[in-house]
Amino acid sequence: MPTSSPKRAALFVTIMAAAIAVSGFAHAFDAKSIEKEKKSPWAVFRLGFSAYKKGDKEEAVEAYRYAADKGQVGASWKLAKMYADGDGVERDDYQAYKFFRQIVEDDVRPGSPDESYVSDALVALGNYSRTGIPDSPVSPDLSAAQDFYMRAAATYRNPVAQFELGKMFLNGDGVKASIKQAGRWLQLAAEKGHAGAQATLGNLLFQSGKIVRGLAMMTEALSHAPASDLPWIRQMQEEAFALAGEGDRRTAIALADSMREGDSDGK
């Protein structure tokens, strides 16, 4: 009986073809694939995004790094977020900080399609500067934090940065305390629907004697606050309600409903 046969040969060819196909898929985002797209960092960024969506985060990181080195701002932002969240890589806040810093230093002009990346990066740098990063060269620096927030708030009208600035002026964190300045930044963020800013501004109004308006803003903020902010906003609102008269409570609830309906109509 012969050692080989047409059937066995065909089976061998099929197995080898399958192995090659699997190998090709597993390395779809290797250096060769990236090299083919080297003239287009955007194309490499899209390769990375596709890999990320499929769960191939190691390949995504490789593609993002290549694109980021070639100046693709979105790739730097994705890497920063992955390191900040420990998403597909070991969490490393200092690595995230460096990528966010790279975005800010790329001199993206306001109005550019990439401005949202810069705005977000400035807020992230403000947060890191505010607390510092253990075991890294980044120490707590409230002055630097204020500068990053101010750039995001004033240049890009970022509501998160506006809220953070409002809190800094309210509490005198690294700046001279100023209710007027705090109110200004909180108002700007509140107008964009930032729940934390609405609640904080509402509490300021309540304390200044504008009971109904303040209660209404805190109540309305509760209706759309993210889960992470619900506990402190609810506590603030409940404490204020406990001090208010029954008539003011009812009027505030009605006003909050009206404010909510107005927001819905405007969408």
Side-chain angles (χ1 to χ4, degrees), residues 228-245:
S228 58
D229 289 338
L230 278 175
W232 70 265
I233 292 178
R234 180 174 290 111
Q235 180 179 352
M236 180 183 288
Q237 188 251 18
E238 289 178 350
E239 289 176 354
F241 256 65
L243 295 173

Side-chain angles (χ1 to χ4, degrees), residues 19-259:
I20 291 171
V22 170
S23 176
F25 175 80
H27 297 87
F29 297 93
D30 62 13
K32 292 181 179 179
S33 297
I34 291 175
E35 186 67 17
K36 292 178 182 179
E37 303 287 359
K38 65 181 180 179
K39 293 183 179 180
S40 173
W42 169 246
V44 178
F45 172 70
R46 290 195 304 173
L47 287 175
F49 183 75
S50 179
Y52 182 90
K53 295 290 285 185
K54 292 177 181 178
D56 300 328
K57 295 184 179 179
E58 183 176 345
E59 288 80 2
V61 168
E62 183 179 355
Y64 287 151
R65 281 189 181 280
Y66 183 95
D69 287 343
K70 300 298 181 181
Q72 219 293 321
V73 179
S76 296
W77 184 85
K78 285 293 294 183
L79 285 169
K81 294 292 288 183
M82 290 178 78
Y83 277 108
D85 299 335
D87 180 15
V89 294
E90 184 177 353
R91 177 171 176 171
D92 189 329
D93 286 313
Y94 185 51
Q95 283 295 328
Y97 176 92
K98 288 191 290 186
F99 279 114
F100 282 129
R101 187 90 194 200
Q102 177 180 323
I103 293 170
V104 169
E105 292 174 352
D106 277 343
D107 194 27
V108 174
R109 295 181 179 181
S112 162
D114 292 329
E115 74 168 20
S116 62
Y117 295 128
V118 181
S119 176
D120 184 79
L122 285 166
V123 172
L125 291 174
N127 293 340
Y128 281 131
S129 297
R130 198 168 188 172
T131 61
I133 301 175
D135 303 317
S136 85
V138 182
S139 302
D141 186 339
L142 292 178
S143 178
Q146 183 202 10
D147 180 63
F148 287 127
Y149 289 144
M150 185 66 75
R151 290 168 64 185
T155 304
Y156 300 101
R157 297 177 174 81
N158 186 299
V160 177
Q162 291 168 344
F163 175 54
E164 294 299 334
L165 274 178
K167 289 193 298 182
M168 292 186 80
F169 279 109
L170 186 62
N171 301 320
D173 292 338
V175 296
K176 183 178 179 180
S178 170
I179 296 294
K180 182 177 180 180
Q181 284 290 337
R184 174 197 172 199
W185 291 112
L186 291 172
Q187 178 68 39
L188 289 171
E191 289 173 353
K192 296 180 179 67
H194 191 289
Q198 289 176 333
T200 305
L201 183 59
N203 190 49
L204 282 178
L205 291 172
F206 180 85
Q207 293 177 11
S208 69
K210 298 179 180 179
I211 306 298
V212 172
R213 182 68 179 175
L215 287 176
M217 289 190 70
M218 285 184 274
T219 302
E220 204 279 327
L222 270 177
S223 70
H224 64 94
S228 58
D229 289 338
L230 278 175
W232 70 265
I233 292 178
R234 180 174 290 111
Q235 180 179 352
M236 180 183 288
Q237 188 251 18
E238 289 178 350
E239 289 176 354
F241 256 65
L243 295 173
E246 183 63 27
D248 286 339
R249 295 177 190 173
R250 291 180 179 179
T251 305
I253 291 174
L255 179 57
D257 289 339
S258 177
M259 293 166 62

Side-chain angles (χ1 to χ4, degrees), residues 1-12:
M1 185 176 182
T3 57
S4 179
S5 70
K7 288 185 178 180
R8 287 181 179 177
L11 178 61
F12 176 79

